[in-house]
Amino acid sequence: MDGTVLVADDDRTIRTVLTQALTRAGCKVHATASLVTLMRWVEEGKGDLVISDVMMPDGNGLEALPRIARERPGLPVIVISAQNTIMTAIQAAEADAYDYLPKPFDLPDLMKRAQKALEQKRRVTQVVAKTGEGLSGDKGDLPLVGRTAAMQELYRLVARVMNADLAVLIVGESGTGKSLIARAIHDFSDRRSLPFIVAQAGDLQGAEGPATLLARAKGGSLVFDEVGDYDEDTQARIVRMLDALPDPAPRIMATTQSDLSALMEAGRFRQDLFYRLGGVTLAVPSLRERVEDIPLLAEHFLSRAERDGLGTRRFTHDALQLVRAYSWPGNVRQLENTIRRLTVTSPEDEITRAEVEFVLGNQPAIEPLRQGGEGEKLSASIGRHLRRYFDLHGGNLPPPGLYDRILKEMEAPLLEIALDATGGNQARCADLLGINRNTLRKKITDLDIQVTRRRKLM
């Protein structure tokens, strides 16, 4: 059995039994007595399976199922409950639980059901990965690959706006995959069977340009590519087009790597067009904002190159560390092109650090290599993420209580990472954090952080 299982039960004995059994079966386990903690893990993208009790000290597990489905579509949930009534089983089925077991449950039976759920989740993930790779039928598409918090947040926003009747503005640096996000919104929406049209500035020229685009798009999706580069006349044509959309109207999306607010202040972008296009703004993070995804992307591109007949290659440890440390000003597109070049030029199956240095050193207009992220102060990195959090709310402010909420959301992952780094040794962890050991113990209890079977990070 392979995968990460999130266990939520207020009974310590049940948490211990399930943790031990699942761990022996080969799974990684996060166990908690708090529904709030479970939902935080789900929102962070952790877990391939959830096993949850119904009656929890801070909520009802059944009532959490719709939220789990919204946050992580396809994440299976096995409900276990001491409320052995038919009503509980019906409610679990109505909430689309993967399975339901009454307490006391048979452990071998639960393990079989868990294995089946994990296998189904793995098959679904593989199908989604294949779908994401060929969204527009072009092998050159950038993949929707990413496990970092930044990408998971983007995925959640994409899921929320998928079928919303709002214009979508997708912003991000060149090479981040803005067009692929637009394609994903279309291909997983109710409009998937209708046309997907990407418009360039030249497509809007002449009196018939806008009408021709609308005729091609019908009720599908119409994307204005790099709209920040359009001249004033083209922008005016789009405004007139959007004010007279036919019925059924296409879904309107736009991509840009430009700062449209700055362009508006400079008088180079129409304010009325900005507000028509910016019903929802999706910010695609740069590669340097999701460094942890680089090894995953690198492996993906090596596999793609192998399928394309370029040979089987792998990175040495030092080479992959260098790939991870590079600033990648061209983002995912530059990473893919670099890896394809390395698969062609490398004489051996293993790509060495020297080969990576040679290829990166010969690329024009590159930024300096980052030494493990040391070039940026921690406060600057935190500031970027907080700024992006504000930006995701468009022109609105985040919900009240932001100060306490940010501190709480930072505290739990800080303690978890510190405990991992110190191998679960609470004395070393307290010393690392500069707090009293008793204070650390209290925070571990209050935040319901699991410290058993932790492995020191290398």
Side-chain angles (χ1 to χ4, degrees), residues 217-407:
K218 299 179 182 178
S221 298
L222 177 58
V223 183
F224 298 110
D225 187 44
E226 291 301 337
V227 71
D229 296 337
Y230 292 7
D231 60 32
E232 186 176 346
D233 289 341
T234 304
Q235 294 175 35
R237 290 192 187 95
I238 297 177
V239 171
R240 291 193 292 271
M241 174 198 293
L242 298 182
D243 286 342
L245 289 175
D247 187 18
R251 174 71 174 274
I252 301 299
M253 292 184 274
T255 68
T256 181
Q257 59 180 305
S258 304
D259 184 343
L260 296 188
S261 297
L263 292 179
M264 281 195 299
E265 291 181 5
R268 293 165 52 197
F269 198 84
R270 293 176 63 111
Q271 189 176 53
D272 54 357
L273 178 56
F274 176 80
Y275 290 117
R276 282 169 172 79
L277 295 176
V280 178
T281 299
L282 301 181
V284 185
S286 64
L287 201 50
R288 61 183 173 277
E289 293 177 279
R290 54 183 189 115
V291 175
E292 292 81 3
D293 284 335
I294 291 177
L296 185 67
L297 285 161
E299 181 61 33
H300 177 89
F301 290 134
L302 286 175
S303 297
R304 177 182 283 180
E306 181 179 356
R307 291 195 301 271
D308 290 345
L310 299 180
T312 302
R313 299 286 188 274
R314 61 183 179 275
F315 285 102
T316 65
H317 175 75
D318 287 345
L320 187 59
Q321 289 299 102
L322 183 57
V323 170
R324 191 180 186 277
Y326 183 61
S327 59
W328 298 110
N331 291 295
V332 184
R333 181 68 74 192
Q334 182 190 11
L335 174 63
E336 179 186 23
N337 291 338
T338 299
I339 289 178
R340 289 184 73 86
R341 178 177 173 182
L342 285 165
T343 59
V344 172
T345 60
S346 178
E348 306 293 338
D349 290 344
E350 280 198 331
I351 299 172
T352 66
R353 181 185 179 95
E355 290 171 317
V356 175
E357 287 178 338
F358 177 79
V359 170
L360 292 180
N362 280 279
Q363 296 195 28
I366 61 172
E367 296 180 7
L369 297 182
R370 294 184 293 112
Q371 301 301 318
E374 295 175 5
E376 182 179 41
K377 291 184 178 179
L378 180 60
S379 60
S381 177
I382 293 173
R384 280 193 297 102
H385 288 286
L386 290 176
R387 171 55 58 190
R388 183 171 175 274
Y389 177 75
F390 272 81
D391 290 343
L392 287 173
H393 289 81
N396 300 318
L397 292 175
L402 180 63
Y403 184 82
D404 288 338
R405 188 165 66 253
I406 291 295
L407 291 183

Side-chain angles (χ1 to χ4, degrees), residues 167-245:
V168 177
L169 179 63
I170 306 170
V171 302
E173 296 178 8
S174 176
T176 52
K178 300 185 293 296
S179 297
L180 188 59
I181 293 294
R183 184 78 210 209
I185 291 173
H186 173 83
D187 281 0
F188 292 103
S189 73
D190 295 339
R191 302 173 188 257
R192 65 178 68 90
S193 61
L194 298 171
F196 177 82
I197 304 299
V198 178
Q200 311 291 336
D203 297 322
L204 289 152
Q205 301 304 311
E208 299 301 321
T212 301
L213 279 176
L214 290 175
R216 291 172 58 201
K218 299 179 182 178
S221 298
L222 177 58
V223 183
F224 298 110
D225 187 44
E226 291 301 337
V227 71
D229 296 337
Y230 292 7
D231 60 32
E232 186 176 346
D233 289 341
T234 304
Q235 294 175 35
R237 290 192 187 95
I238 297 177
V239 171
R240 291 193 292 271
M241 174 198 293
L242 298 182
D243 286 342
L245 289 175

